[in-house]
Amino acid sequence: MQEYVCYTNMGKWKFYAENDIDAMRVALYYCHMDKEEFIKIEFGLYTSRHKTLRICLIDDKNNMYTL
């Protein structure tokens, strides 16, 4: 299990997941249940493996927009 931090419009919270896909699934589920707006997920904040997971829209011209 790895520790992730989910950021929403109401604050942030820590949770554990097996991988990035599972982390996104868990975060979106609880944001929906708590009626919060999902912003991003961060992993490995204090390590060299730091990464951020967000939801993006790619249009037909391959332009990317962060939602």
Side-chain angles (χ1 to χ4, degrees), residues 1-2 4-7 9 12-13 17 22-23 25-26 29-32 34 38-40 53 55 58 61-62:
M1 295 292 245
Q2 301 168 352
Y4 292 85
V5 178
C6 180
Y7 292 85
N9 62 328
K12 64 181 182 177
W13 43 276
D22 190 36
R25 185 179 306 125
V26 168
Y29 173 78
Y30 283 107
C31 285
H32 173 73
D34 296 340
F38 174 83
I39 297 174
K40 65 181 177 180
L53 305 173
I55 299 176
I58 301 175
K61 297 178 184 167
N62 283 338

Side-chain angles (χ1 to χ4, degrees), residues 52-67:
T52 302
L53 305 173
R54 297 176 188 258
I55 299 176
C56 296
L57 169 70
I58 301 175
D59 66 10
D60 57 347
K61 297 178 184 167
N62 283 338
N63 295 321
M64 186 182 305
Y65 305 96
T66 301
L67 302 175

